[in-house]
Amino acid sequence: MADVTIRPSKNGPYIVEGPVDLFDTEGNKITVDKPRIALCRCGASSNKPFCDGTHSQIGFQAAEAINPASAE
Ligand code: FES
């Protein structure tokens, strides 16, 4: 298994497990001191890039499947 895994939760955030280096749009490193983080996928979090649970309040509906061809 890879050192880092990213799994979408149903109608919720991406769950990232493993050691990662996370940066903001300015290139500043965001300190991550947890082995597991949740990254917002709905776009409505007030604490981006992290999920703050807002997805459940806005009724976010994620795509049912990931298209592997989109990764190319
Ligand atoms: S996925 Fe949780 S707030 Fe966006």
Side-chain angles (χ1 to χ4, degrees):
M1 184 190 288
D3 291 340
V4 178
T5 59
I6 303 172
R7 292 190 178 92
S9 61
K10 187 170 180 68
N11 298 323
Y14 288 111
I15 305 301
V16 181
E17 294 182 272
V20 296
D21 287 333
L22 185 63
F23 297 88
D24 67 14
T25 55
E26 304 298 319
N28 301 305
K29 188 171 183 177
I30 299 171
T31 301
V32 176
D33 57 359
K34 300 175 183 175
R36 180 177 188 262
I37 59 174
L39 296 179
C40 179
R41 186 161 58 135
C42 73
S45 173
S46 295
N47 190 30
K48 294 182 188 81
F50 303 104
C51 170
D52 69 355
T54 301
H55 61 270
S56 61
Q57 298 169 12
I58 64 171
F60 174 64
Q61 297 287 308
E64 288 296 319
I66 295 173
N67 180 356
S70 298
E72 297 174 4

